[in-house]
Amino acid sequence: MLAGGVGAAKLLAGMVKAIPPATITAIVNVGDDLEPHGLHVSPDLDTVVYTVAGAIDPERGWGLVDETWQAMEGLERYGLDAWFRLGDRDLATHLYRTERRRTGVPLSQITAEIARAWGLELRVVPVTDDRLRTMITLAGREPMPASPTDPRPGPLVVSFQEYFVQRQHAVPIAAVRFDGEDAAVPAPGVLEAIQRAGTVVIAPSNPVVSIGPVLAVAGVRDAVAARRNDVVAISPIVGGRALKGPADRMLHELGHEPSVVGVARLYEPLASTLVIDETDAERAEEIRALGLNCVVTDTIMRDPAAAATLSATVLRGR
């Protein structure tokens, strides 16, 4: 599964109930990673691990259940702007990852250690061990100051977390790019997992900033396209809206139709099947006209049981 964000995590929590967990590899986005307070934080990797382990905070959809916030309150007392909040229980994961990274251990090995510590049997792997960061160009915002080498001011470019968390994804965007994609190579086993899988699933994640960074890593898009007949994508857009997050607005602002048909156009070169919600059943023929098989079902993952049912449908759908 190509994975990123809450939708992918929920689907994986269901998939481990539908098929043997050891047969699943989750290839996870790291474009959202950041280093607040000197700690290496991998939000999508942690959301996958915590969700499948049953430890995720169900209300927030991220972080650990029964969390406290004394460390962040302490930082604010000292005058630091702790806009990216890390819970006291969650800190242990980031401290561990940061210390292991400091000694030269690659992110993929650290992620395997973390998943094993939480008792997970599926394989969770970052798409790359290299630095990859999603950068957002804001539209209609104040320009960046001119640099010494370029006297012309440019548009304001921020990291994904600055857009998503600090600005509450409430500002329009003009462009998305992936800093580091030219040098990033797939983590060990990523291409082999895609090449050998019986089914490749593109999770119901934001196509632009969750799946986009995964596909940007050298060789990944080509590997998925080569398996097109065995690739099933699930639309994160239901009735023209994202169930969570700004995917619908981002698609619109970047010139794509924020609908299941818009998603189909994005994934047509990569997937032979698109799974859509019953709400969008009337658009199934438009999707089929684009050359994709279209499976119509209930895609709302209200609980792990519903996610398991959807997983079974996805695996049959190809």
Side-chain angles (χ1 to χ4, degrees):
M1 186 186 299
L2 307 190
V6 174
K10 286 185 174 181
L11 185 63
L12 284 162
M15 193 161 285
V16 297
K17 298 179 182 300
I19 61 175
T23 67
I24 302 168
T25 298
I27 300 170
V28 183
N29 167 44
V30 293
D32 299 1
D33 286 19
L34 69 167
E35 293 83 24
H37 319 302
L39 299 176
H40 184 125
V41 179
S42 294
D44 281 2
L45 287 167
D46 293 342
T47 296
V48 165
V49 169
Y50 293 165
T51 301
V52 178
I56 199 81
D57 184 299
E59 294 184 6
R60 294 194 309 269
W62 56 270
L64 290 164
V65 70
D66 299 327
E67 192 59 272
T68 57
W69 305 94
Q70 294 185 54
M72 294 298 103
E73 291 165 4
L75 289 176
E76 289 168 344
R77 183 179 301 114
Y78 294 131
L80 290 181
D81 181 8
W83 60 265
F84 192 87
R85 297 181 68 77
L86 302 172
D88 299 326
R89 298 185 64 211
D90 190 28
L91 275 172
T93 298
H94 312 311
L95 287 165
Y96 179 78
R97 179 186 293 116
T98 303
E99 176 61 18
R100 296 287 282 153
R101 291 277 286 171
R102 187 186 66 81
T103 61
V105 181
L107 183 60
S108 55
Q109 181 178 330
I110 300 166
T111 302
E113 294 166 358
I114 291 171
R116 187 162 54 247
W118 282 95
L120 304 191
E121 297 179 56
L122 82 163
R123 184 183 181 204
V124 182
V125 58
V127 64
T128 182
D129 283 325
D130 299 317
R131 188 183 186 280
L132 184 72
R133 296 292 182 269
T134 298
M135 304 301 295
I136 310 289
T137 301
L138 304 184
R141 304 290 293 178
E142 67 275 14
M144 294 177 64
S147 71
T149 58
D150 185 352
R152 299 167 301 173
L156 183 62
V157 180
V158 299
S159 70
F160 174 79
Q161 297 297 348
E162 289 175 287
Y163 159 78
F164 188 75
V165 178
Q166 190 174 39
R167 290 172 170 79
Q168 296 294 298
H169 53 83
V171 293
I173 70 170
V176 174
R177 66 177 174 83
F178 308 115
D179 188 32
E181 67 173 302
D182 292 341
V185 298
V190 165
L191 296 183
E192 291 82 357
I194 295 170
Q195 292 161 355
R196 297 174 183 176
T199 304
V200 178
V201 177
I202 301 177
S205 306
N206 187 316
V208 178
V209 293
S210 291
I211 302 301
V214 174
L215 296 172
V217 174
V220 173
R221 178 180 289 273
D222 288 345
V224 175
R227 297 298 315 278
R228 184 179 183 275
N229 289 342
D230 300 305
V231 179
V232 181
I234 306 162
S235 175
I237 303 296
V238 176
R241 298 183 65 84
L243 296 178
K244 187 177 179 65
D248 49 351
R249 287 184 284 113
M250 295 187 89
L251 288 170
H252 174 71
E253 289 160 8
L254 294 174
H256 305 289
E257 181 182 335
S259 70
V260 291
V261 175
V263 173
R265 293 190 183 112
L266 287 173
Y267 287 151
E268 182 276 330
L270 302 172
S272 60
T273 299
L274 182 68
V275 178
I276 68 172
D277 191 75
E278 296 162 337
T279 302
D280 295 299
E282 73 281 358
R283 306 208 68 178
E285 288 307 315
E286 291 179 74
I287 292 169
R288 294 181 181 116
L290 293 171
L292 288 90
N293 176 37
C294 184
V295 175
V296 180
T297 189
D298 181 4
T299 64
I300 311 301
M301 295 177 284
R302 300 169 183 85
D303 52 43
T309 300
L310 175 60
S311 296
T313 300
V314 166
L315 295 173
R316 289 195 305 267
R318 74 178 182 86

